[in-house]
Amino acid sequence: MLLAGGLASLIPGRAKAGVKLTGYSKSAFSTSEKQTPYEAVTTYNNFYEFGTNKDEPAVHARDFKTNPWALRIDGEVAKPVTLDLDRILKLAPLEERIYRFRCVEGWSMVVPWIGFPLSAVINLAAPTSKAKFVAFESYFSEKQMPRWRYAGIPLPYVEGLRMDEAANPLAILAVGLYGEVLPNQNGAPVRLIVPWKYGFKSIKSIVRIRFQERMPPTTWNISNPREYGFYSNVNPEVDHPRWSQAKERRLGEFFKRDTLKFNGYGEQVAQLYAGMNLKRDY
Ligand code: MTE
């Protein structure tokens, strides 16, 4: 059983935070660094569909309906499929992944996510040899997202990864944090986490995963191509035009710390970019 009390204990339409996830294992990919308190992780958010101030998503996403949910997986695949929440939660054994999470704005946190490797989706859908990229799309509803007009970015939010990035064992789909179902403001019921990239790649509340030949458009690149590239790997050597990326502030800490290339995950991911000029292809 995945959820304490079973899935039936979730009131339809109200898959609320606070519901415990059980039966997950610990992962060797986890950091032992001090975890950012739950309170900060769940009240200091970027989820522009629910407001652009950090404290707004926790308020405006309170009644966001995340159950029932439909996640469509299609494109260049042998087996297109639509998954409901129950099937999403059973795609693969759940693991706790305690990851560093670095936002391009210069803050960072350490979060105990619960999820499973994104490769479970690749295995399920069986992409054809034409599939070179994976495109992700967030849920969007004007009705459910009352602050959408003020987002200042085109919606729905879209993101993308190269196939080999998506298959890397560090890339996960998260369904929880701190042992509980994801709070709405953190991207319920299912979101991407790619810990070696800036936080904006970690798209929330995903409704579609499409395998395709072409590099997909990404929200921040559409909004401001000079400031945001497709790869967006954490890189202290490449400054954002408005923010130095050399240092970061861990939420709750006073002094800044040095930012690590690939957010400290170089051992697992540096080989993905061998031969690439990361100063040009940022
Ligand atoms: N996904 C959607 N759909 N909408 C967003 O505004 N913001 C991104 C990313 N995913 C965003 C999104 C940004 S900029 C960051 S830093 C992270 O989510 C923040 O995740 P968190 O609120 O769980 O810390």
Side-chain angles (χ1 to χ4, degrees):
M1 194 196 307
L2 291 164
L3 295 168
L7 279 167
S9 68
L10 292 176
I11 306 157
R14 289 285 168 98
K16 281 293 192 192
V19 177
K20 293 265 180 275
L21 289 161
T22 57
Y24 54 85
S25 61
K26 302 219 175 286
S27 165
F29 290 124
S30 287
T31 173
S32 56
E33 286 168 72
K34 186 170 175 278
Q35 294 170 32
T36 304
Y38 178 90
E39 178 68 16
V41 174
T42 57
T43 57
Y44 190 87
N45 298 104
N46 276 334
F47 200 166
Y48 277 32
E49 292 90 326
F50 293 105
T52 54
N53 294 321
K54 296 283 184 287
D55 57 352
E56 281 186 290
V59 176
H60 297 300
R62 202 169 279 154
D63 294 325
F64 178 37
K65 284 196 175 61
T66 58
N67 188 20
W69 195 257
L71 169 61
R72 177 71 183 160
I73 300 166
D74 62 5
E76 293 293 345
V77 296
K79 299 179 202 160
V81 62
T82 302
L83 305 175
D84 64 14
L85 195 48
D86 194 21
R87 280 197 72 195
I88 294 169
L89 288 164
K90 288 177 179 154
L91 261 183
L94 295 183
E95 294 171 42
E96 181 180 65
R97 298 278 186 110
I98 308 168
Y99 279 161
R100 291 177 292 277
F101 187 81
R102 167 67 156 83
C103 177
V104 74
E105 294 163 346
W107 52 266
S108 63
M109 40 188 193
V110 175
V111 185
W113 305 107
I114 312 271
F116 52 83
L118 178 59
S119 61
V121 169
I122 303 178
N123 296 340
L124 179 77
T128 70
S129 59
K130 275 193 174 170
K132 301 283 186 279
F133 292 92
V134 192
F136 301 85
E137 186 178 314
S138 289
Y139 179 86
F140 177 55
S141 151
E142 293 179 10
K143 199 161 148 245
Q144 282 218 66
M145 297 166 154
R147 308 294 294 167
W148 75 273
R149 273 181 204 287
Y150 310 100
I153 50 173
L155 297 172
Y157 198 97
V158 289
E159 257 304 337
L161 294 174
R162 218 170 53 192
M163 271 300 278
D164 58 345
E165 295 180 314
N168 186 278
L170 286 185
I172 60 166
L173 287 178
V175 294
L177 59 77
Y178 268 106
E180 296 177 357
V181 166
L182 270 185
N184 291 345
Q185 61 269 33
N186 292 92
V190 59
R191 72 170 303 175
L192 183 66
I193 297 292
V194 264
W196 70 97
K197 293 177 179 285
Y198 292 117
F200 64 83
K201 297 291 290 182
S202 291
I203 182 172
K204 295 178 167 180
S205 306
I206 302 169
V207 289
R208 191 163 187 203
I209 300 179
R210 193 181 159 79
F211 292 84
Q212 58 188 59
E213 200 166 2
R214 282 176 306 108
M215 183 183 273
T218 60
T219 291
W220 286 99
N221 181 256
I222 300 167
S223 300
N224 196 337
R226 205 176 67 82
E227 295 192 359
Y228 304 100
F230 176 81
Y231 287 98
S232 298
N233 294 313
V234 175
N235 191 344
E237 294 152 24
V238 178
D239 285 335
H240 178 277
R242 284 181 282 144
W243 301 292
S244 161
Q245 297 298 3
K247 289 188 178 288
E248 68 197 60
R249 193 192 307 279
R250 245 333 117 80
L251 290 191
E253 291 180 9
F254 181 75
F255 292 107
K256 288 190 174 177
R257 59 174 70 210
D258 288 342
T259 285
L260 305 174
K261 195 161 184 185
F262 300 116
N263 204 18
Y265 295 103
E267 206 180 305
Q268 287 86 12
V269 303
Q271 80 282 357
L272 295 171
Y273 310 101
M276 273 177 69
N277 178 350
L278 293 176
K279 292 197 168 138
R280 197 195 56 208
D281 293 320
Y282 54 87

